[in-house]
Amino acid sequence: MQTIQQQRAKYALEKVNQAATNPRISHKEYKSYASSLPAMIHMNGLGQAAAFFKSKGDTHGELYNLLSGWLCQQGQPYAGCANLLEGITTKDMHAYRLAQAEAQALMDWVKKFAKAFMTGDEQ
Protein backbone atom coordinates (compact mmCIF):
# COMPACT_ATOMS: atom_id res chain seq x y z
CA MET A 1 0.00 0.00 0.00
CA GLN A 2 1.32 3.41 -0.99
CA THR A 3 1.16 6.56 1.08
CA ILE A 4 -0.74 9.54 -0.30
CA GLN A 5 2.61 11.24 -0.96
CA GLN A 6 3.73 8.27 -3.07
CA GLN A 7 0.44 8.32 -4.97
CA ARG A 8 0.81 12.04 -5.64
CA ALA A 9 4.39 11.57 -6.78
CA LYS A 10 3.47 8.70 -9.10
CA TYR A 11 0.61 10.66 -10.67
CA ALA A 12 2.74 13.80 -11.06
CA LEU A 13 5.59 11.86 -12.65
CA GLU A 14 3.27 10.19 -15.16
CA LYS A 15 1.70 13.51 -16.16
CA VAL A 16 5.02 15.38 -16.41
CA ASN A 17 6.46 12.59 -18.56
CA GLN A 18 3.42 12.74 -20.84
CA ALA A 19 3.77 16.51 -21.17
CA ALA A 20 7.52 16.22 -21.77
CA THR A 21 6.91 14.01 -24.82
CA ASN A 22 4.10 16.20 -26.21
CA PRO A 23 5.54 18.27 -29.08
CA ARG A 24 2.94 21.02 -28.52
CA ILE A 25 4.21 21.68 -24.99
CA SER A 26 7.11 24.05 -24.41
CA HIS A 27 9.29 22.73 -21.60
CA LYS A 28 10.23 26.25 -20.58
CA GLU A 29 6.58 27.33 -20.36
CA TYR A 30 5.50 24.18 -18.53
CA LYS A 31 8.17 24.62 -15.86
CA SER A 32 7.32 28.31 -15.50
CA TYR A 33 3.56 27.77 -15.26
CA ALA A 34 3.95 24.80 -12.90
CA SER A 35 6.06 27.00 -10.63
CA SER A 36 3.62 29.90 -10.71
CA LEU A 37 0.41 27.91 -10.20
CA PRO A 38 0.85 27.29 -6.42
CA ALA A 39 1.39 31.01 -5.79
CA MET A 40 -1.65 31.83 -7.90
CA ILE A 41 -3.73 29.32 -5.92
CA HIS A 42 -2.48 30.83 -2.66
CA MET A 43 -3.18 34.42 -3.70
CA ASN A 44 -6.42 34.00 -5.65
CA GLY A 45 -7.84 30.67 -4.54
CA LEU A 46 -8.17 27.37 -6.37
CA GLY A 47 -11.29 28.42 -8.26
CA GLN A 48 -9.83 31.58 -9.78
CA ALA A 49 -6.54 29.88 -10.64
CA ALA A 50 -8.31 26.88 -12.20
CA ALA A 51 -10.61 29.08 -14.28
CA PHE A 52 -7.65 31.12 -15.51
CA PHE A 53 -5.59 28.07 -16.47
CA LYS A 54 -8.60 26.43 -18.17
CA SER A 55 -9.32 29.57 -20.19
CA LYS A 56 -5.76 29.90 -21.48
CA GLY A 57 -5.56 26.42 -23.04
CA ASP A 58 -2.35 24.83 -24.39
CA THR A 59 0.28 24.51 -21.63
CA HIS A 60 -1.94 26.15 -19.05
CA GLY A 61 -4.69 23.72 -20.04
CA GLU A 62 -2.37 20.76 -19.53
CA LEU A 63 -1.81 21.84 -15.92
CA TYR A 64 -5.54 22.42 -15.43
CA ASN A 65 -6.21 18.90 -16.73
CA LEU A 66 -3.52 17.51 -14.44
CA LEU A 67 -5.19 19.07 -11.38
CA SER A 68 -8.65 18.14 -12.57
CA GLY A 69 -7.68 14.52 -13.10
CA TRP A 70 -6.17 14.24 -9.64
CA LEU A 71 -8.84 16.08 -7.67
CA CYS A 72 -11.79 14.37 -9.39
CA GLN A 73 -10.60 10.79 -8.97
CA GLN A 74 -11.83 8.36 -6.33
CA GLY A 75 -10.70 9.30 -2.82
CA GLN A 76 -10.18 12.99 -3.62
CA PRO A 77 -12.36 15.99 -2.65
CA TYR A 78 -14.14 16.23 -6.00
CA ALA A 79 -14.55 12.49 -6.65
CA GLY A 80 -17.40 11.85 -9.04
CA CYS A 81 -17.27 15.28 -10.65
CA ALA A 82 -16.67 15.51 -14.38
CA ASN A 83 -13.94 18.15 -13.96
CA LEU A 84 -12.33 20.52 -11.49
CA LEU A 85 -14.54 23.52 -12.22
CA GLU A 86 -17.66 21.41 -11.75
CA GLY A 87 -16.33 20.25 -8.37
CA ILE A 88 -15.50 23.79 -7.30
CA THR A 89 -18.95 25.07 -8.21
CA THR A 90 -21.03 22.18 -6.84
CA LYS A 91 -19.31 20.96 -3.66
CA ASP A 92 -19.17 22.63 -0.25
CA MET A 93 -16.50 24.85 1.32
CA HIS A 94 -14.96 21.95 3.25
CA ALA A 95 -14.31 20.06 0.00
CA TYR A 96 -12.93 23.28 -1.52
CA ARG A 97 -10.42 23.73 1.31
CA LEU A 98 -9.34 20.09 1.05
CA ALA A 99 -9.00 20.39 -2.72
CA GLN A 100 -6.95 23.56 -2.42
CA ALA A 101 -4.53 21.94 0.04
CA GLU A 102 -4.34 18.81 -2.12
CA ALA A 103 -3.65 20.90 -5.23
CA GLN A 104 -0.75 22.62 -3.46
CA ALA A 105 0.71 19.29 -2.35
CA LEU A 106 0.41 17.81 -5.84
CA MET A 107 1.92 20.86 -7.52
CA ASP A 108 4.96 20.57 -5.28
CA TRP A 109 5.70 17.24 -6.98
CA VAL A 110 4.84 18.54 -10.45
CA LYS A 111 7.28 21.45 -10.05
CA LYS A 112 10.07 19.13 -8.91
CA PHE A 113 9.54 16.63 -11.70
CA ALA A 114 9.17 19.30 -14.38
CA LYS A 115 12.46 20.83 -13.30
CA ALA A 116 14.14 17.42 -13.30
CA PHE A 117 12.76 15.95 -16.52
CA MET A 118 12.04 18.91 -18.78
CA THR A 119 15.56 19.88 -19.64
CA GLY A 120 15.04 21.30 -23.13
CA ASP A 121 14.59 25.06 -23.49
CA GLU A 122 11.85 24.61 -26.06
CA GLN A 123 10.05 21.62 -27.51
Side-chain angles (χ1 to χ4, degrees):
M1 179 150 189
Q2 291 183 321
T3 67
I4 188 67
Q5 275 291 70
Q6 289 173 307
Q7 292 170 19
R8 278 187 206 115
K10 180 181 177 190
Y11 179 84
L13 181 58
E14 288 172 1
K15 295 301 181 180
V16 168
N17 281 332
Q18 286 175 6
T21 59
N22 186 337
R24 298 175 324 149
I25 305 272
S26 159
H27 288 191
K28 184 177 179 181
E29 284 181 357
Y30 193 94
K31 289 188 288 189
S32 174
Y33 301 157
S35 291
S36 68
L37 181 53
M40 186 178 280
I41 292 170
H42 180 74
M43 288 185 289
N44 302 309
L46 179 61
Q48 292 287 337
F52 175 78
F53 270 62
K54 174 72 173 163
S55 73
K56 296 297 272 185
D58 292 330
T59 306
H60 285 95
E62 284 290 319
L63 289 164
Y64 167 83
N65 290 335
L66 181 148
L67 278 179
S68 186
W70 178 254
L71 293 171
C72 294
Q73 72 180 350
Q74 193 68 7
Q76 292 299 324
Y78 296 142
C81 293
N83 59 61
L84 179 54
L85 291 175
E86 179 187 317
I88 289 168
T89 57
T90 60
K91 299 287 183 166
D92 62 18
M93 185 55 86
H94 178 68
Y96 182 84
R97 281 193 216 103
L98 289 174
Q100 187 162 286
E102 189 61 38
Q104 295 285 40
L106 177 65
M107 287 310 300
D108 191 39
W109 284 108
V110 173
K111 285 189 318 186
K112 289 174 184 168
F113 289 140
K115 187 175 181 183
F117 295 106
M118 292 188 161
T119 56
D121 285 302
E122 292 290 329
Q123 279 286 18

